[in-house]
Amino acid sequence: MLHIINQSPMNSTTLDSCLNTANGGDILLIEDAVYAATRGSATEAKLRSAMGRFKIHVLMPDLEARGLGDRLMDGATPVDYSGFVELTVSNKTSQSWL
Amino acid sequence: MSDTKKFMFVNRKAPYGTVYALESLEVVLITAAFDQDVSLVFMDDGVYQLKKGQQTKGIETKNFSPAYRALEGYDIEKLYVEKEAMEARGLTEDDLLVDVTVLSRAEMGALMDEQDVVLSF
């Protein structure tokens, strides 16, 4: 299953809700959620500990727009828009955590 | 001038996920025309507004970050960043587009108390 998150992890509980609820699968961070996967942020450790259960993907155009294209945390997978499409196709269901 | 008031703009949102950052910048530039004592505060996710190297081509959105560099030309020179917010996001002063004064949360609270007008974004 694909979990899509678009809210900043500092400003919303959506990342926590997803991590606390979902059993595993793919997580795709888009829009302000990309801040969660930046090196040195307070949320990096939280995502790292979730990596056993989830594969973390980050939409690079959103990370680059925010000036953090060179700060993607280790272990997270960068994707472009076609990668976004592939994730939605390869997963049977997706949940957007709005 | 005795009728000059102390205006503070409190910026707490990241730049592109919502329209708050851009709207704040527009209002700040308008305020500059009225010769007031203007302070800009960047706290919580607002700190991200000042990150260097924003490249918005991929999201087909206007990159408005260069405008922060132009504020000085409008005599808006009081920019304050909350230390704790910056550090929690893995950022340092070197990551920021402009020169700022870094204040602790407590110092920021004290600065807010000194204002005549506070506008929140």
Side-chain angles (χ1 to χ4, degrees), chain B residues 12-29:
Chain B
R12 295 185 48 252
K13 298 280 198 274
Y16 301 106
T18 67
V19 80
Y20 288 99
L22 179 57
E23 291 291 319
S24 172
L25 189 57
E26 304 264 7
V27 179
V28 165
L29 289 169

PDB file of all heavy atoms in Angstrom, chain B residues 12-29:
ATOM      1  N   ARG B  12       5.275  31.971  10.122  1.00  0.00           N
ATOM      2  CA  ARG B  12       5.391  30.639  10.722  1.00  0.00           C
ATOM      3  C   ARG B  12       5.153  29.496   9.730  1.00  0.00           C
ATOM      4  O   ARG B  12       5.069  28.341  10.136  1.00  0.00           O
ATOM      5  CB  ARG B  12       4.412  30.515  11.895  1.00  0.00           C
ATOM      6  CG  ARG B  12       4.724  31.459  13.066  1.00  0.00           C
ATOM      7  CD  ARG B  12       3.808  31.228  14.261  1.00  0.00           C
ATOM      8  NE  ARG B  12       3.722  29.819  14.582  1.00  0.00           N
ATOM      9  CZ  ARG B  12       2.646  29.068  14.348  1.00  0.00           C
ATOM     10  NH1 ARG B  12       1.568  29.580  13.823  1.00  0.00           N
ATOM     11  NH2 ARG B  12       2.665  27.804  14.664  1.00  0.00           N
ATOM     12  N   LYS B  13       5.014  29.826   8.431  1.00  0.00           N
ATOM     13  CA  LYS B  13       4.686  28.778   7.460  1.00  0.00           C
ATOM     14  C   LYS B  13       5.800  28.605   6.430  1.00  0.00           C
ATOM     15  O   LYS B  13       6.442  29.572   6.029  1.00  0.00           O
ATOM     16  CB  LYS B  13       3.404  29.159   6.712  1.00  0.00           C
ATOM     17  CG  LYS B  13       2.160  29.282   7.600  1.00  0.00           C
ATOM     18  CD  LYS B  13       1.570  27.920   7.914  1.00  0.00           C
ATOM     19  CE  LYS B  13       0.143  27.999   8.395  1.00  0.00           C
ATOM     20  NZ  LYS B  13       0.062  28.229   9.844  1.00  0.00           N
ATOM     21  N   ALA B  14       5.984  27.371   5.987  1.00  0.00           N
ATOM     22  CA  ALA B  14       6.952  27.055   4.928  1.00  0.00           C
ATOM     23  C   ALA B  14       6.509  27.717   3.616  1.00  0.00           C
ATOM     24  O   ALA B  14       5.332  28.046   3.452  1.00  0.00           O
ATOM     25  CB  ALA B  14       7.061  25.544   4.780  1.00  0.00           C
ATOM     26  N   PRO B  15       7.442  27.921   2.676  1.00  0.00           N
ATOM     27  CA  PRO B  15       7.170  28.793   1.536  1.00  0.00           C
ATOM     28  C   PRO B  15       6.143  28.358   0.486  1.00  0.00           C
ATOM     29  O   PRO B  15       5.414  29.206  -0.009  1.00  0.00           O
ATOM     30  CB  PRO B  15       8.542  28.961   0.884  1.00  0.00           C
ATOM     31  CG  PRO B  15       9.358  27.832   1.367  1.00  0.00           C
ATOM     32  CD  PRO B  15       8.859  27.537   2.736  1.00  0.00           C
ATOM     33  N   TYR B  16       6.079  27.100   0.092  1.00  0.00           N
ATOM     34  CA  TYR B  16       5.265  26.789  -1.095  1.00  0.00           C
ATOM     35  C   TYR B  16       4.007  25.957  -0.834  1.00  0.00           C
ATOM     36  O   TYR B  16       3.106  25.946  -1.658  1.00  0.00           O
ATOM     37  CB  TYR B  16       6.133  26.115  -2.176  1.00  0.00           C
ATOM     38  CG  TYR B  16       7.275  27.018  -2.586  1.00  0.00           C
ATOM     39  CD1 TYR B  16       8.572  26.760  -2.171  1.00  0.00           C
ATOM     40  CD2 TYR B  16       7.025  28.175  -3.319  1.00  0.00           C
ATOM     41  CE1 TYR B  16       9.610  27.620  -2.495  1.00  0.00           C
ATOM     42  CE2 TYR B  16       8.058  29.047  -3.646  1.00  0.00           C
ATOM     43  CZ  TYR B  16       9.346  28.762  -3.230  1.00  0.00           C
ATOM     44  OH  TYR B  16      10.370  29.624  -3.536  1.00  0.00           O
ATOM     45  N   GLY B  17       3.945  25.276   0.301  1.00  0.00           N
ATOM     46  CA  GLY B  17       2.792  24.412   0.577  1.00  0.00           C
ATOM     47  C   GLY B  17       1.508  25.185   0.827  1.00  0.00           C
ATOM     48  O   GLY B  17       0.410  24.681   0.600  1.00  0.00           O
ATOM     49  N   THR B  18       1.647  26.418   1.300  1.00  0.00           N
ATOM     50  CA  THR B  18       0.498  27.297   1.495  1.00  0.00           C
ATOM     51  C   THR B  18       0.861  28.661   0.918  1.00  0.00           C
ATOM     52  O   THR B  18       2.008  28.899   0.546  1.00  0.00           O
ATOM     53  CB  THR B  18       0.165  27.505   2.995  1.00  0.00           C
ATOM     54  OG1 THR B  18       1.238  28.237   3.602  1.00  0.00           O
ATOM     55  CG2 THR B  18      -0.016  26.176   3.715  1.00  0.00           C
ATOM     56  N   VAL B  19      -0.101  29.565   0.876  1.00  0.00           N
ATOM     57  CA  VAL B  19       0.159  30.875   0.271  1.00  0.00           C
ATOM     58  C   VAL B  19       0.599  31.923   1.305  1.00  0.00           C
ATOM     59  O   VAL B  19       0.910  33.050   0.968  1.00  0.00           O
ATOM     60  CB  VAL B  19      -1.107  31.324  -0.510  1.00  0.00           C
ATOM     61  CG1 VAL B  19      -2.157  31.890   0.443  1.00  0.00           C
ATOM     62  CG2 VAL B  19      -0.770  32.303  -1.607  1.00  0.00           C
ATOM     63  N   TYR B  20       0.688  31.515   2.573  1.00  0.00           N
ATOM     64  CA  TYR B  20       0.972  32.491   3.635  1.00  0.00           C
ATOM     65  C   TYR B  20       2.282  33.251   3.433  1.00  0.00           C
ATOM     66  O   TYR B  20       2.352  34.464   3.626  1.00  0.00           O
ATOM     67  CB  TYR B  20       1.009  31.806   5.009  1.00  0.00           C
ATOM     68  CG  TYR B  20      -0.349  31.382   5.514  1.00  0.00           C
ATOM     69  CD1 TYR B  20      -0.784  30.069   5.377  1.00  0.00           C
ATOM     70  CD2 TYR B  20      -1.188  32.295   6.136  1.00  0.00           C
ATOM     71  CE1 TYR B  20      -2.031  29.672   5.831  1.00  0.00           C
ATOM     72  CE2 TYR B  20      -2.438  31.907   6.605  1.00  0.00           C
ATOM     73  CZ  TYR B  20      -2.854  30.596   6.448  1.00  0.00           C
ATOM     74  OH  TYR B  20      -4.088  30.212   6.896  1.00  0.00           O
ATOM     75  N   ALA B  21       3.341  32.542   3.071  1.00  0.00           N
ATOM     76  CA  ALA B  21       4.657  33.177   2.969  1.00  0.00           C
ATOM     77  C   ALA B  21       4.655  34.267   1.901  1.00  0.00           C
ATOM     78  O   ALA B  21       5.150  35.376   2.127  1.00  0.00           O
ATOM     79  CB  ALA B  21       5.723  32.125   2.654  1.00  0.00           C
ATOM     80  N   LEU B  22       4.079  33.956   0.752  1.00  0.00           N
ATOM     81  CA  LEU B  22       4.036  34.928  -0.342  1.00  0.00           C
ATOM     82  C   LEU B  22       3.152  36.117   0.030  1.00  0.00           C
ATOM     83  O   LEU B  22       3.504  37.276  -0.218  1.00  0.00           O
ATOM     84  CB  LEU B  22       3.529  34.249  -1.618  1.00  0.00           C
ATOM     85  CG  LEU B  22       3.387  35.132  -2.856  1.00  0.00           C
ATOM     86  CD1 LEU B  22       4.704  35.812  -3.216  1.00  0.00           C
ATOM     87  CD2 LEU B  22       2.894  34.320  -4.047  1.00  0.00           C
ATOM     88  N   GLU B  23       2.016  35.845   0.658  1.00  0.00           N
ATOM     89  CA  GLU B  23       1.100  36.931   1.050  1.00  0.00           C
ATOM     90  C   GLU B  23       1.766  37.856   2.060  1.00  0.00           C
ATOM     91  O   GLU B  23       1.628  39.085   1.994  1.00  0.00           O
ATOM     92  CB  GLU B  23      -0.193  36.350   1.645  1.00  0.00           C
ATOM     93  CG  GLU B  23      -1.072  35.629   0.628  1.00  0.00           C
ATOM     94  CD  GLU B  23      -1.698  36.593  -0.388  1.00  0.00           C
ATOM     95  OE1 GLU B  23      -2.125  37.679   0.018  1.00  0.00           O
ATOM     96  OE2 GLU B  23      -1.732  36.244  -1.583  1.00  0.00           O
ATOM     97  N   SER B  24       2.485  37.275   3.003  1.00  0.00           N
ATOM     98  CA  SER B  24       3.190  38.074   4.000  1.00  0.00           C
ATOM     99  C   SER B  24       4.197  39.002   3.328  1.00  0.00           C
ATOM    100  O   SER B  24       4.259  40.192   3.625  1.00  0.00           O
ATOM    101  CB  SER B  24       3.900  37.151   4.990  1.00  0.00           C
ATOM    102  OG  SER B  24       4.739  37.906   5.840  1.00  0.00           O
ATOM    103  N   LEU B  25       4.957  38.440   2.401  1.00  0.00           N
ATOM    104  CA  LEU B  25       5.979  39.219   1.706  1.00  0.00           C
ATOM    105  C   LEU B  25       5.349  40.407   0.972  1.00  0.00           C
ATOM    106  O   LEU B  25       5.874  41.524   0.994  1.00  0.00           O
ATOM    107  CB  LEU B  25       6.713  38.299   0.726  1.00  0.00           C
ATOM    108  CG  LEU B  25       7.958  38.816   0.041  1.00  0.00           C
ATOM    109  CD1 LEU B  25       9.013  39.253   1.044  1.00  0.00           C
ATOM    110  CD2 LEU B  25       8.520  37.728  -0.876  1.00  0.00           C
ATOM    111  N   GLU B  26       4.209  40.171   0.346  1.00  0.00           N
ATOM    112  CA  GLU B  26       3.516  41.251  -0.374  1.00  0.00           C
ATOM    113  C   GLU B  26       3.109  42.358   0.588  1.00  0.00           C
ATOM    114  O   GLU B  26       3.291  43.544   0.304  1.00  0.00           O
ATOM    115  CB  GLU B  26       2.242  40.706  -1.062  1.00  0.00           C
ATOM    116  CG  GLU B  26       2.487  39.540  -2.002  1.00  0.00           C
ATOM    117  CD  GLU B  26       2.627  39.969  -3.453  1.00  0.00           C
ATOM    118  OE1 GLU B  26       2.668  41.177  -3.711  1.00  0.00           O
ATOM    119  OE2 GLU B  26       2.701  39.069  -4.317  1.00  0.00           O
ATOM    120  N   VAL B  27       2.553  41.983   1.729  1.00  0.00           N
ATOM    121  CA  VAL B  27       2.093  42.980   2.700  1.00  0.00           C
ATOM    122  C   VAL B  27       3.280  43.732   3.302  1.00  0.00           C
ATOM    123  O   VAL B  27       3.217  44.941   3.517  1.00  0.00           O
ATOM    124  CB  VAL B  27       1.228  42.324   3.805  1.00  0.00           C
ATOM    125  CG1 VAL B  27       0.788  43.370   4.825  1.00  0.00           C
ATOM    126  CG2 VAL B  27       0.022  41.634   3.199  1.00  0.00           C
ATOM    127  N   VAL B  28       4.373  43.014   3.538  1.00  0.00           N
ATOM    128  CA  VAL B  28       5.578  43.646   4.071  1.00  0.00           C
ATOM    129  C   VAL B  28       6.074  44.731   3.109  1.00  0.00           C
ATOM    130  O   VAL B  28       6.419  45.848   3.515  1.00  0.00           O
ATOM    131  CB  VAL B  28       6.689  42.597   4.311  1.00  0.00           C
ATOM    132  CG1 VAL B  28       8.042  43.263   4.511  1.00  0.00           C
ATOM    133  CG2 VAL B  28       6.348  41.735   5.515  1.00  0.00           C
ATOM    134  N   LEU B  29       6.086  44.414   1.820  1.00  0.00           N
ATOM    135  CA  LEU B  29       6.565  45.378   0.832  1.00  0.00           C
ATOM    136  C   LEU B  29       5.655  46.602   0.765  1.00  0.00           C
ATOM    137  O   LEU B  29       6.114  47.732   0.589  1.00  0.00           O
ATOM    138  CB  LEU B  29       6.690  44.701  -0.541  1.00  0.00           C
ATOM    139  CG  LEU B  29       7.839  43.694  -0.628  1.00  0.00           C
ATOM    140  CD1 LEU B  29       7.759  42.864  -1.901  1.00  0.00           C
ATOM    141  CD2 LEU B  29       9.201  44.379  -0.540  1.00  0.00           C
TER     142      LEU B  29
END
